[in-house]
Amino acid sequence: MNLTIHTSALPHDDPDASLVFYRDVLGFEVRSDVGQGKMRWITVGPKGQPGTSILLAPPAADPGITEDERRTIAEMMAKGTYGWILLATPDLDAVFDKVQACDAEVVQEPTEQPYGIRDCAFRDPAGNLIRIQQLR
């Protein structure tokens, strides 16, 4: 079996704000942008890595979700406990400085973890936790 992780999804509640964060702050390229208003599905990914993407999606679009589930998702997004992703970079300090300069909510400054990873964390405009670790 030969599998790769092609696309991971994160929810958004403001597609324009999410687009600015992922495109202009993190430097990802936009691969597709379909829908309109809050019902937009935006695919972004790192430049030069066409096989890896993040789908920014409206969280309540699935017709199988109940109203209680929609409320729970909205509450978890507001608290920043619903979605998260782990990114990596060879220059953690440069990425941290750039993201911090864009007024993103800093959750953790660059820190050497006791388990051998140096990382930092932010929240995107939808409240998703974005952890970024130093490549070694």
Side-chain angles (χ1 to χ4, degrees), residues 10-20 23 30 32-44 54-61:
L10 289 174
H12 70 65
D13 54 4
D14 181 339
D16 291 326
S18 291
L19 179 62
V20 166
R23 182 193 58 206
V30 178
S32 70
D33 186 346
V34 298
Q36 58 186 338
K38 289 194 172 220
M39 297 304 282
R40 283 170 59 193
W41 287 259
I42 304 167
T43 304
V44 296
I54 300 171
L55 173 64
L56 304 169

Side-chain angles (χ1 to χ4, degrees), residues 3 8 24 31 42 45-46 48-49 73 84 91-92 108-109 115:
L3 296 173
S8 181
D24 301 343
R31 301 196 175 135
I42 304 167
Q49 298 178 39
I73 290 169
W84 70 280
D91 191 347
L92 183 65
Q108 174 201 302
E109 294 189 6
Y115 42 87

Side-chain angles (χ1 to χ4, degrees), residues 56-69:
L56 304 169
D62 186 336
I65 295 177
T66 68
E67 284 305 314
D68 283 344
E69 291 168 331

Side-chain angles (χ1 to χ4, degrees), residues 121-134:
F122 296 91
R123 293 211 187 279
D124 77 2
N128 297 304
L129 182 65
I130 311 298
R131 294 200 74 83
I132 305 171
Q133 71 181 43
Q134 176 85 40

